[in-house]
Amino acid sequence: MPLVGTGDIVTPAARTGHGVGAFNVIQLEHAQAVVAGAEAAGAPVILQISENAAGYHGGLTAVGTATLAVARAAAVPVAVHLDHATSADLVREAVELGFTSVMYDASTLPYADNVRATEAVREYCHAAGVWVEAELGEVGGKDGVHAPGARTDPGEAAAFVAATGVDALAVAVGTSHAMATRTAALDFPLIAALRTAVPVPLVLHGSSGVADDDLTAAVGHGMTKVNIATHLNRVFTAAAREALASDPALSDTRRYLAPARTATAHEVTRLLHVLNAPAPARTGASATATSR
């Protein structure tokens, strides 16, 4: 199955009310685990590399090239996405490498500056056939869309999408990045209202902090792309720790990275089923929102 456009995965899912898992890659083993998990689930998937992960590797080229190679060899549709880029130069590098989408994050800027910066990135990416996700934070808020208590206003979100022409929008509905516990309280009426107001797919960042049932419900109320990173890192690390603890003399990295990769693949399969599990019947605003 060749590498596919991110929009080729996300847009049909938004129309049918399905969830799409987007999982972050740090090492090659993460990319392999995510694809193996998606193949076991028989589902498309998005591999994401963040600006921070690119920095860890000293640049985007090495980790990006390896991730693209894993995607191209997959048996299910796989897209490769640049996550939380704050640098237009990094966006251009991702496009030149062959990434199928970018998430440009100017959410910490005042609203008007966010619009101008995001529109410029969108123009460049669309000229190259690359799909663009953006994030709308608090107006003037230094902590962006995931500041404590931040919520995205549906009217402002619709205006932002109209002004920038982006293909998807990450919104604040109760999650935070890097949560170590799955205790986030999602605002489901707000998700439904955003789905009604915003004409492009919605993205849930910080989904590691969301319990299984709430992930299913978030998709049912109108979320499409669901980003998960920290939770998989915890699964990966726990399996590696277990392998190391079982043999204090262990030195071959393959002996503990392989079980970590396998455990992560199994969790990806499970999460993809969670995202597409049948949701409880809804009435009123929620049902109307998710029928679009």
Side-chain angles (χ1 to χ4, degrees):
M1 178 69 66
L3 179 73
V4 302
T6 303
D8 295 334
I9 295 175
V10 176
T11 301
R15 290 197 196 103
T16 58
H18 289 86
V20 174
F23 303 102
N24 281 54
V25 171
I26 301 176
Q27 280 89 27
L28 176 60
E29 287 82 3
H30 288 95
Q32 294 170 327
V34 170
V35 168
E39 289 173 341
V45 76
I46 299 170
L47 298 173
Q48 303 193 143
I49 301 173
S50 71
E51 183 171 287
N52 287 339
Y56 167 79
H57 288 284
L60 186 61
T61 299
V63 65
T65 301
T67 300
L68 285 162
V70 172
R72 291 186 175 111
V76 293
V78 180
V80 177
H81 176 77
L82 176 65
D83 191 36
H84 277 289
T86 60
S87 161
D89 287 341
L90 189 63
V91 167
R92 285 189 284 272
E93 185 178 358
V95 171
E96 290 167 3
L97 283 171
F99 281 44
T100 59
S101 59
V102 304
M103 187 271 178
Y104 182 64
D105 184 0
S107 65
T108 60
L109 298 177
Y111 179 82
D113 293 340
N114 188 352
V115 168
R116 281 192 291 271
T118 302
E119 183 181 16
V121 166
R122 188 271 305 163
E123 287 180 353
Y124 169 77
C125 289
H126 278 191
V130 172
W131 192 88
V132 178
E133 174 188 333
E135 185 167 62
L136 182 61
E138 295 178 290
V139 176
K142 67 178 182 177
D143 294 320
V145 76
H146 296 288
R151 295 291 185 271
T152 300
D153 176 78
E156 186 174 82
F160 180 84
V161 169
T164 60
V166 296
D167 302 295
L169 187 68
V171 292
V173 294
T175 59
S176 296
H177 283 120
M179 285 187 69
T181 59
R182 304 180 76 194
T183 55
L186 296 184
D187 188 335
F188 294 112
L190 177 57
I191 294 173
L194 286 162
R195 176 67 278 154
T196 298
V198 177
V200 298
L202 300 178
V203 184
L204 185 65
H205 285 219
S207 306
S208 291
V210 182
D212 286 353
D213 288 349
D214 285 352
L215 287 174
T216 302
V219 173
H221 282 78
M223 282 292 173
T224 302
K225 180 174 176 277
V226 178
N227 292 11
I228 299 176
T230 299
H231 175 68
L232 286 188
N233 287 341
R234 288 170 63 83
V235 170
F236 188 99
T237 301
R241 281 199 180 109
E242 182 178 352
L244 287 165
S246 69
D247 182 0
L250 186 61
S251 61
D252 185 340
T253 59
R254 292 169 294 185
R255 297 278 300 280
Y256 56 86
L257 291 178
R261 181 176 58 191
T262 298
T264 303
H266 289 161
E267 185 63 3
V268 166
T269 300
R270 194 189 70 79
L271 287 168
L272 289 172
H273 288 308
V274 166
L275 293 178
N276 289 288
R282 298 173 303 280
T283 59
S286 295
T288 301
T290 55
S291 66
R292 295 178 52 160

mmCIF file of all heavy atoms in Angstrom, residues 27-81:
data_model
loop_
_atom_site.group_PDB
_atom_site.id
_atom_site.type_symbol
_atom_site.label_atom_id
_atom_site.label_comp_id
_atom_site.label_asym_id
_atom_site.label_seq_id
_atom_site.Cartn_x
_atom_site.Cartn_y
_atom_site.Cartn_z
ATOM 1 N N GLN A 27 11.411 7.059 17.896
ATOM 2 C CA GLN A 27 12.390 6.158 17.298
ATOM 3 C C GLN A 27 11.763 5.366 16.147
ATOM 4 O O GLN A 27 10.537 5.319 16.013
ATOM 5 C CB GLN A 27 12.916 5.163 18.346
ATOM 6 C CG GLN A 27 13.978 5.729 19.256
ATOM 7 C CD GLN A 27 13.372 6.388 20.482
ATOM 8 O OE1 GLN A 27 12.288 6.028 20.921
ATOM 9 N NE2 GLN A 27 14.078 7.355 21.042
ATOM 10 N N LEU A 28 12.605 4.719 15.367
ATOM 11 C CA LEU A 28 12.130 3.871 14.281
ATOM 12 C C LEU A 28 11.166 2.815 14.798
ATOM 13 O O LEU A 28 10.173 2.495 14.129
ATOM 14 C CB LEU A 28 13.323 3.201 13.594
ATOM 15 C CG LEU A 28 13.012 2.185 12.488
ATOM 16 C CD1 LEU A 28 12.237 2.837 11.350
ATOM 17 C CD2 LEU A 28 14.318 1.564 11.976
ATOM 18 N N GLU A 29 11.440 2.280 15.989
ATOM 19 C CA GLU A 29 10.561 1.252 16.547
ATOM 20 C C GLU A 29 9.128 1.751 16.741
ATOM 21 O O GLU A 29 8.181 0.974 16.626
ATOM 22 C CB GLU A 29 11.118 0.747 17.890
ATOM 23 C CG GLU A 29 12.343 -0.147 17.766
ATOM 24 C CD GLU A 29 13.636 0.613 17.611
ATOM 25 O OE1 GLU A 29 13.610 1.876 17.658
ATOM 26 O OE2 GLU A 29 14.693 -0.028 17.440
ATOM 27 N N HIS A 30 8.967 3.047 17.031
ATOM 28 C CA HIS A 30 7.611 3.589 17.153
ATOM 29 C C HIS A 30 6.873 3.512 15.815
ATOM 30 O O HIS A 30 5.706 3.109 15.756
ATOM 31 C CB HIS A 30 7.654 5.042 17.617
ATOM 32 C CG HIS A 30 8.054 5.240 19.046
ATOM 33 N ND1 HIS A 30 9.343 5.499 19.415
ATOM 34 C CD2 HIS A 30 7.332 5.211 20.192
ATOM 35 C CE1 HIS A 30 9.400 5.638 20.734
ATOM 36 N NE2 HIS A 30 8.192 5.448 21.226
ATOM 37 N N ALA A 31 7.537 3.916 14.754
ATOM 38 C CA ALA A 31 6.899 3.873 13.436
ATOM 39 C C ALA A 31 6.530 2.449 13.059
ATOM 40 O O ALA A 31 5.422 2.181 12.567
ATOM 41 C CB ALA A 31 7.838 4.471 12.382
ATOM 42 N N GLN A 32 7.439 1.528 13.305
ATOM 43 C CA GLN A 32 7.161 0.121 12.995
ATOM 44 C C GLN A 32 6.003 -0.409 13.826
ATOM 45 O O GLN A 32 5.144 -1.144 13.323
ATOM 46 C CB GLN A 32 8.413 -0.714 13.231
ATOM 47 C CG GLN A 32 9.555 -0.401 12.277
ATOM 48 C CD GLN A 32 10.859 -1.064 12.699
ATOM 49 O OE1 GLN A 32 11.131 -1.223 13.889
ATOM 50 N NE2 GLN A 32 11.665 -1.469 11.728
ATOM 51 N N ALA A 33 5.963 -0.056 15.108
ATOM 52 C CA ALA A 33 4.895 -0.522 15.992
ATOM 53 C C ALA A 33 3.538 0.021 15.554
ATOM 54 O O ALA A 33 2.541 -0.717 15.530
ATOM 55 C CB ALA A 33 5.189 -0.104 17.430
ATOM 56 N N VAL A 34 3.490 1.289 15.224
ATOM 57 C CA VAL A 34 2.213 1.892 14.836
ATOM 58 C C VAL A 34 1.682 1.242 13.559
ATOM 59 O O VAL A 34 0.490 0.911 13.459
ATOM 60 C CB VAL A 34 2.363 3.415 14.667
ATOM 61 C CG1 VAL A 34 1.107 4.016 14.024
ATOM 62 C CG2 VAL A 34 2.630 4.072 16.023
ATOM 63 N N VAL A 35 2.551 1.042 12.584
ATOM 64 C CA VAL A 35 2.100 0.424 11.334
ATOM 65 C C VAL A 35 1.678 -1.024 11.574
ATOM 66 O O VAL A 35 0.644 -1.472 11.056
ATOM 67 C CB VAL A 35 3.188 0.528 10.259
ATOM 68 C CG1 VAL A 35 2.858 -0.354 9.060
ATOM 69 C CG2 VAL A 35 3.335 1.982 9.811
ATOM 70 N N ALA A 36 2.439 -1.767 12.369
ATOM 71 C CA ALA A 36 2.047 -3.150 12.666
ATOM 72 C C ALA A 36 0.693 -3.193 13.373
ATOM 73 O O ALA A 36 -0.152 -4.048 13.076
ATOM 74 C CB ALA A 36 3.107 -3.820 13.531
ATOM 75 N N GLY A 37 0.471 -2.266 14.303
ATOM 76 C CA GLY A 37 -0.812 -2.212 14.994
ATOM 77 C C GLY A 37 -1.959 -1.868 14.063
ATOM 78 O O GLY A 37 -3.060 -2.433 14.167
ATOM 79 N N ALA A 38 -1.724 -0.954 13.138
ATOM 80 C CA ALA A 38 -2.754 -0.586 12.174
ATOM 81 C C ALA A 38 -3.056 -1.737 11.218
ATOM 82 O O ALA A 38 -4.211 -1.985 10.864
ATOM 83 C CB ALA A 38 -2.323 0.650 11.390
ATOM 84 N N GLU A 39 -2.015 -2.453 10.803
ATOM 85 C CA GLU A 39 -2.225 -3.605 9.924
ATOM 86 C C GLU A 39 -3.053 -4.670 10.630
ATOM 87 O O GLU A 39 -3.951 -5.269 10.023
ATOM 88 C CB GLU A 39 -0.877 -4.167 9.480
ATOM 89 C CG GLU A 39 -0.150 -3.264 8.489
ATOM 90 C CD GLU A 39 1.256 -3.732 8.176
ATOM 91 O OE1 GLU A 39 1.822 -4.531 8.962
ATOM 92 O OE2 GLU A 39 1.798 -3.306 7.130
ATOM 93 N N ALA A 40 -2.788 -4.912 11.917
ATOM 94 C CA ALA A 40 -3.570 -5.897 12.668
ATOM 95 C C ALA A 40 -5.023 -5.463 12.811
ATOM 96 O O ALA A 40 -5.932 -6.297 12.822
ATOM 97 C CB ALA A 40 -2.953 -6.118 14.043
ATOM 98 N N ALA A 41 -5.241 -4.150 12.903
ATOM 99 C CA ALA A 41 -6.612 -3.628 13.020
ATOM 100 C C ALA A 41 -7.286 -3.493 11.660
ATOM 101 O O ALA A 41 -8.509 -3.304 11.593
ATOM 102 C CB ALA A 41 -6.585 -2.267 13.711
ATOM 103 N N GLY A 42 -6.520 -3.569 10.589
ATOM 104 C CA GLY A 42 -7.072 -3.357 9.253
ATOM 105 C C GLY A 42 -7.550 -1.934 9.056
ATOM 106 O O GLY A 42 -8.539 -1.686 8.364
ATOM 107 N N ALA A 43 -6.824 -0.980 9.658
ATOM 108 C CA ALA A 43 -7.264 0.417 9.637
ATOM 109 C C ALA A 43 -6.155 1.324 9.120
ATOM 110 O O ALA A 43 -4.971 1.040 9.324
ATOM 111 C CB ALA A 43 -7.652 0.855 11.045
ATOM 112 N N PRO A 44 -6.508 2.420 8.481
ATOM 113 C CA PRO A 44 -5.495 3.408 8.110
ATOM 114 C C PRO A 44 -4.965 4.101 9.353
ATOM 115 O O PRO A 44 -5.600 4.073 10.419
ATOM 116 C CB PRO A 44 -6.264 4.382 7.217
ATOM 117 C CG PRO A 44 -7.680 4.283 7.689
ATOM 118 C CD PRO A 44 -7.867 2.847 8.105
ATOM 119 N N VAL A 45 -3.810 4.750 9.217
ATOM 120 C CA VAL A 45 -3.212 5.396 10.384
ATOM 121 C C VAL A 45 -2.334 6.549 9.932
ATOM 122 O O VAL A 45 -1.914 6.607 8.762
ATOM 123 C CB VAL A 45 -2.401 4.367 11.202
ATOM 124 C CG1 VAL A 45 -1.053 4.046 10.532
ATOM 125 C CG2 VAL A 45 -2.210 4.798 12.645
ATOM 126 N N ILE A 46 -2.061 7.450 10.873
ATOM 127 C CA ILE A 46 -1.183 8.587 10.606
ATOM 128 C C ILE A 46 0.015 8.498 11.529
ATOM 129 O O ILE A 46 -0.127 8.365 12.749
ATOM 130 C CB ILE A 46 -1.922 9.925 10.821
ATOM 131 C CG1 ILE A 46 -3.112 10.034 9.858
ATOM 132 C CG2 ILE A 46 -0.962 11.104 10.623
ATOM 133 C CD1 ILE A 46 -4.037 11.205 10.160
ATOM 134 N N LEU A 47 1.214 8.538 10.936
ATOM 135 C CA LEU A 47 2.461 8.618 11.696
ATOM 136 C C LEU A 47 2.832 10.090 11.831
ATOM 137 O O LEU A 47 2.872 10.816 10.833
ATOM 138 C CB LEU A 47 3.582 7.881 10.968
ATOM 139 C CG LEU A 47 3.403 6.380 10.757
ATOM 140 C CD1 LEU A 47 4.532 5.841 9.875
ATOM 141 C CD2 LEU A 47 3.380 5.652 12.089
ATOM 142 N N GLN A 48 3.102 10.527 13.053
ATOM 143 C CA GLN A 48 3.398 11.930 13.296
ATOM 144 C C GLN A 48 4.810 12.097 13.863
ATOM 145 O O GLN A 48 5.233 11.338 14.723
ATOM 146 C CB GLN A 48 2.413 12.523 14.308
ATOM 147 C CG GLN A 48 0.969 12.395 13.904
ATOM 148 C CD GLN A 48 0.053 13.260 14.746
ATOM 149 O OE1 GLN A 48 -0.909 13.798 14.226
ATOM 150 N NE2 GLN A 48 0.319 13.400 16.023
ATOM 151 N N ILE A 49 5.501 13.107 13.390
ATOM 152 C CA ILE A 49 6.795 13.493 13.955
ATOM 153 C C ILE A 49 6.674 14.943 14.405
ATOM 154 O O ILE A 49 6.327 15.824 13.614
ATOM 155 C CB ILE A 49 7.927 13.345 12.936
ATOM 156 C CG1 ILE A 49 8.031 11.896 12.454
ATOM 157 C CG2 ILE A 49 9.254 13.809 13.532
ATOM 158 C CD1 ILE A 49 9.011 11.702 11.309
ATOM 159 N N SER A 50 6.928 15.182 15.667
ATOM 160 C CA SER A 50 6.806 16.533 16.197
ATOM 161 C C SER A 50 8.082 17.334 15.968
ATOM 162 O O SER A 50 9.157 16.779 15.694
ATOM 163 C CB SER A 50 6.508 16.487 17.700
ATOM 164 O OG SER A 50 7.655 16.050 18.418
ATOM 165 N N GLU A 51 7.960 18.632 16.105
ATOM 166 C CA GLU A 51 9.138 19.499 16.024
ATOM 167 C C GLU A 51 10.150 19.114 17.098
ATOM 168 O O GLU A 51 11.369 19.114 16.857
ATOM 169 C CB GLU A 51 8.702 20.945 16.187
ATOM 170 C CG GLU A 51 9.824 21.958 16.048
ATOM 171 C CD GLU A 51 9.311 23.385 16.009
ATOM 172 O OE1 GLU A 51 8.733 23.790 14.974
ATOM 173 O OE2 GLU A 51 9.496 24.092 17.020
ATOM 174 N N ASN A 52 9.657 18.752 18.293
ATOM 175 C CA ASN A 52 10.559 18.344 19.367
ATOM 176 C C ASN A 52 11.310 17.056 19.015
ATOM 177 O O ASN A 52 12.507 16.922 19.306
ATOM 178 C CB ASN A 52 9.782 18.138 20.665
ATOM 179 C CG ASN A 52 9.341 19.449 21.277
ATOM 180 O OD1 ASN A 52 9.895 20.499 20.986
ATOM 181 N ND2 ASN A 52 8.324 19.395 22.122
ATOM 182 N N ALA A 53 10.611 16.092 18.403
ATOM 183 C CA ALA A 53 11.272 14.838 18.016
ATOM 184 C C ALA A 53 12.312 15.092 16.946
ATOM 185 O O ALA A 53 13.401 14.494 16.965
ATOM 186 C CB ALA A 53 10.245 13.819 17.531
ATOM 187 N N ALA A 54 12.000 15.966 15.999
ATOM 188 C CA ALA A 54 12.994 16.319 14.978
ATOM 189 C C ALA A 54 14.232 16.925 15.629
ATOM 190 O O ALA A 54 15.374 16.612 15.262
ATOM 191 C CB ALA A 54 12.390 17.279 13.966
ATOM 192 N N GLY A 55 14.020 17.781 16.626
ATOM 193 C CA GLY A 55 15.143 18.384 17.332
ATOM 194 C C GLY A 55 15.985 17.356 18.057
ATOM 195 O O GLY A 55 17.225 17.445 18.085
ATOM 196 N N TYR A 56 15.326 16.349 18.637
ATOM 197 C CA TYR A 56 16.039 15.283 19.338
ATOM 198 C C TYR A 56 17.004 14.560 18.394
ATOM 199 O O TYR A 56 18.111 14.165 18.787
ATOM 200 C CB TYR A 56 15.028 14.304 19.917
ATOM 201 C CG TYR A 56 15.613 13.003 20.407
ATOM 202 C CD1 TYR A 56 16.259 12.923 21.632
ATOM 203 C CD2 TYR A 56 15.510 11.848 19.637
ATOM 204 C CE1 TYR A 56 16.802 11.723 22.075
ATOM 205 C CE2 TYR A 56 16.047 10.650 20.069
ATOM 206 C CZ TYR A 56 16.695 10.596 21.295
ATOM 207 O OH TYR A 56 17.235 9.407 21.724
ATOM 208 N N HIS A 57 16.589 14.388 17.145
ATOM 209 C CA HIS A 57 17.410 13.683 16.161
ATOM 210 C C HIS A 57 18.371 14.616 15.427
ATOM 211 O O HIS A 57 19.055 14.176 14.491
ATOM 212 C CB HIS A 57 16.516 12.964 15.155
ATOM 213 C CG HIS A 57 15.825 11.768 15.722
ATOM 214 N ND1 HIS A 57 16.472 10.576 15.943
ATOM 215 C CD2 HIS A 57 14.540 11.586 16.134
ATOM 216 C CE1 HIS A 57 15.623 9.699 16.459
ATOM 217 N NE2 HIS A 57 14.453 10.283 16.584
ATOM 218 N N GLY A 58 18.405 15.882 15.824
ATOM 219 C CA GLY A 58 19.314 16.818 15.166
ATOM 220 C C GLY A 58 18.806 17.316 13.837
ATOM 221 O O GLY A 58 19.554 17.886 13.043
ATOM 222 N N GLY A 59 17.547 17.103 13.554
ATOM 223 C CA GLY A 59 16.943 17.525 12.296
ATOM 224 C C GLY A 59 15.875 16.544 11.858
ATOM 225 O O GLY A 59 15.764 15.435 12.401
ATOM 226 N N LEU A 60 15.111 16.941 10.869
ATOM 227 C CA LEU A 60 13.974 16.129 10.426
ATOM 228 C C LEU A 60 14.358 15.050 9.425
ATOM 229 O O LEU A 60 13.684 14.025 9.318
ATOM 230 C CB LEU A 60 12.920 17.050 9.798
ATOM 231 C CG LEU A 60 11.586 16.434 9.391
ATOM 232 C CD1 LEU A 60 10.862 15.835 10.599
ATOM 233 C CD2 LEU A 60 10.703 17.489 8.714
ATOM 234 N N THR A 61 15.449 15.231 8.713
ATOM 235 C CA THR A 61 15.734 14.379 7.561
ATOM 236 C C THR A 61 15.856 12.899 7.915
ATOM 237 O O THR A 61 15.212 12.049 7.287
ATOM 238 C CB THR A 61 17.007 14.844 6.845
ATOM 239 O OG1 THR A 61 16.815 16.188 6.387
ATOM 240 C CG2 THR A 61 17.309 13.958 5.649
ATOM 241 N N ALA A 62 16.662 12.560 8.904
ATOM 242 C CA ALA A 62 16.905 11.139 9.201
ATOM 243 C C ALA A 62 15.643 10.442 9.683
ATOM 244 O O ALA A 62 15.228 9.411 9.129
ATOM 245 C CB ALA A 62 18.024 11.001 10.234
ATOM 246 N N VAL A 63 15.002 10.984 10.728
ATOM 247 C CA VAL A 63 13.812 10.331 11.268
ATOM 248 C C VAL A 63 12.653 10.411 10.282
ATOM 249 O O VAL A 63 11.849 9.485 10.160
ATOM 250 C CB VAL A 63 13.439 10.930 12.643
ATOM 251 C CG1 VAL A 63 13.019 12.387 12.546
ATOM 252 C CG2 VAL A 63 12.364 10.096 13.322
ATOM 253 N N GLY A 64 12.569 11.508 9.528
ATOM 254 C CA GLY A 64 11.501 11.642 8.541
ATOM 255 C C GLY A 64 11.648 10.664 7.399
ATOM 256 O O GLY A 64 10.674 10.037 6.970
ATOM 257 N N THR A 65 12.860 10.497 6.904
ATOM 258 C CA THR A 65 13.097 9.554 5.810
ATOM 259 C C THR A 65 12.792 8.126 6.237
ATOM 260 O O THR A 65 12.175 7.349 5.492
ATOM 261 C CB THR A 65 14.549 9.675 5.322
ATOM 262 O OG1 THR A 65 14.785 11.018 4.873
ATOM 263 C CG2 THR A 65 14.833 8.711 4.182
ATOM 264 N N ALA A 66 13.223 7.754 7.432
ATOM 265 C CA ALA A 66 12.950 6.404 7.933
ATOM 266 C C ALA A 66 11.455 6.175 8.107
ATOM 267 O O ALA A 66 10.931 5.105 7.759
ATOM 268 C CB ALA A 66 13.674 6.192 9.260
ATOM 269 N N THR A 67 10.758 7.164 8.638
ATOM 270 C CA THR A 67 9.311 7.029 8.857
ATOM 271 C C THR A 67 8.574 6.923 7.530
ATOM 272 O O THR A 67 7.634 6.120 7.385
ATOM 273 C CB THR A 67 8.804 8.217 9.682
ATOM 274 O OG1 THR A 67 9.483 8.232 10.949
ATOM 275 C CG2 THR A 67 7.306 8.131 9.921
ATOM 276 N N LEU A 68 8.977 7.699 6.564
ATOM 277 C CA LEU A 68 8.362 7.611 5.231
ATOM 278 C C LEU A 68 8.591 6.229 4.625
ATOM 279 O O LEU A 68 7.690 5.665 3.982
ATOM 280 C CB LEU A 68 8.930 8.691 4.318
ATOM 281 C CG LEU A 68 8.426 10.118 4.589
ATOM 282 C CD1 LEU A 68 9.356 11.144 3.964
ATOM 283 C CD2 LEU A 68 6.996 10.290 4.056
ATOM 284 N N ALA A 69 9.773 5.649 4.840
ATOM 285 C CA ALA A 69 10.060 4.314 4.309
ATOM 286 C C ALA A 69 9.153 3.273 4.949
ATOM 287 O O ALA A 69 8.631 2.372 4.268
ATOM 288 C CB ALA A 69 11.528 3.960 4.547
ATOM 289 N N VAL A 70 8.932 3.372 6.262
ATOM 290 C CA VAL A 70 8.019 2.447 6.942
ATOM 291 C C VAL A 70 6.608 2.604 6.390
ATOM 292 O O VAL A 70 5.900 1.618 6.139
ATOM 293 C CB VAL A 70 8.053 2.688 8.461
ATOM 294 C CG1 VAL A 70 6.963 1.878 9.165
ATOM 295 C CG2 VAL A 70 9.416 2.338 9.039
ATOM 296 N N ALA A 71 6.180 3.836 6.187
ATOM 297 C CA ALA A 71 4.833 4.085 5.660
ATOM 298 C C ALA A 71 4.669 3.494 4.265
ATOM 299 O O ALA A 71 3.633 2.882 3.961
ATOM 300 C CB ALA A 71 4.574 5.589 5.624
ATOM 301 N N ARG A 72 5.669 3.652 3.425
ATOM 302 C CA ARG A 72 5.558 3.168 2.039
ATOM 303 C C ARG A 72 5.515 1.645 1.957
ATOM 304 O O ARG A 72 4.995 1.101 0.983
ATOM 305 C CB ARG A 72 6.723 3.712 1.213
ATOM 306 C CG ARG A 72 6.658 5.220 0.983
ATOM 307 C CD ARG A 72 7.750 5.717 0.039
ATOM 308 N NE ARG A 72 7.580 7.141 -0.232
ATOM 309 C CZ ARG A 72 8.401 8.090 0.203
ATOM 310 N NH1 ARG A 72 9.469 7.750 0.928
ATOM 311 N NH2 ARG A 72 8.171 9.356 -0.075
ATOM 312 N N ALA A 73 6.022 0.968 2.968
ATOM 313 C CA ALA A 73 6.032 -0.498 2.964
ATOM 314 C C ALA A 73 4.805 -1.097 3.657
ATOM 315 O O ALA A 73 4.680 -2.318 3.731
ATOM 316 C CB ALA A 73 7.297 -1.001 3.656
ATOM 317 N N ALA A 74 3.899 -0.268 4.135
ATOM 318 C CA ALA A 74 2.763 -0.752 4.922
ATOM 319 C C ALA A 74 1.717 -1.453 4.060
ATOM 320 O O ALA A 74 1.592 -1.189 2.858
ATOM 321 C CB ALA A 74 2.110 0.408 5.668
ATOM 322 N N ALA A 75 0.940 -2.315 4.708
ATOM 323 C CA ALA A 75 -0.140 -3.027 4.029
ATOM 324 C C ALA A 75 -1.481 -2.313 4.184
ATOM 325 O O ALA A 75 -2.502 -2.799 3.687
ATOM 326 C CB ALA A 75 -0.244 -4.452 4.578
ATOM 327 N N VAL A 76 -1.497 -1.198 4.899
ATOM 328 C CA VAL A 76 -2.696 -0.376 5.049
ATOM 329 C C VAL A 76 -2.328 1.060 4.672
ATOM 330 O O VAL A 76 -1.135 1.406 4.630
ATOM 331 C CB VAL A 76 -3.233 -0.414 6.497
ATOM 332 C CG1 VAL A 76 -3.753 -1.798 6.858
ATOM 333 C CG2 VAL A 76 -2.177 0.050 7.495
ATOM 334 N N PRO A 77 -3.306 1.914 4.390
ATOM 335 C CA PRO A 77 -2.979 3.307 4.081
ATOM 336 C C PRO A 77 -2.323 4.002 5.274
ATOM 337 O O PRO A 77 -2.828 3.953 6.397
ATOM 338 C CB PRO A 77 -4.354 3.924 3.770
ATOM 339 C CG PRO A 77 -5.223 2.775 3.390
ATOM 340 C CD PRO A 77 -4.759 1.627 4.229
ATOM 341 N N VAL A 78 -1.200 4.656 5.022
ATOM 342 C CA VAL A 78 -0.469 5.371 6.056
ATOM 343 C C VAL A 78 -0.096 6.749 5.531
ATOM 344 O O VAL A 78 0.395 6.885 4.409
ATOM 345 C CB VAL A 78 0.803 4.615 6.485
ATOM 346 C CG1 VAL A 78 1.547 5.393 7.576
ATOM 347 C CG2 VAL A 78 0.475 3.213 6.972
ATOM 348 N N ALA A 79 -0.331 7.762 6.348
ATOM 349 C CA ALA A 79 0.097 9.123 6.043
ATOM 350 C C ALA A 79 1.190 9.520 7.020
ATOM 351 O O ALA A 79 1.291 8.960 8.118
ATOM 352 C CB ALA A 79 -1.085 10.084 6.147
ATOM 353 N N VAL A 80 2.013 10.489 6.637
ATOM 354 C CA VAL A 80 3.087 10.970 7.504
ATOM 355 C C VAL A 80 2.922 12.476 7.691
ATOM 356 O O VAL A 80 2.847 13.234 6.720
ATOM 357 C CB VAL A 80 4.475 10.633 6.931
ATOM 358 C CG1 VAL A 80 5.572 11.224 7.818
ATOM 359 C CG2 VAL A 80 4.646 9.123 6.821
ATOM 360 N N HIS A 81 2.894 12.875 8.949
ATOM 361 C CA HIS A 81 2.457 14.214 9.339
ATOM 362 C C HIS A 81 3.506 14.887 10.216
ATOM 363 O O HIS A 81 4.081 14.250 11.109
ATOM 364 C CB HIS A 81 1.138 14.039 10.122
ATOM 365 C CG HIS A 81 0.547 15.292 10.696
ATOM 366 N ND1 HIS A 81 -0.132 16.202 9.931
ATOM 367 C CD2 HIS A 81 0.504 15.749 11.967
ATOM 368 C CE1 HIS A 81 -0.590 17.176 10.702
ATOM 369 N NE2 HIS A 81 -0.198 16.938 11.950
#
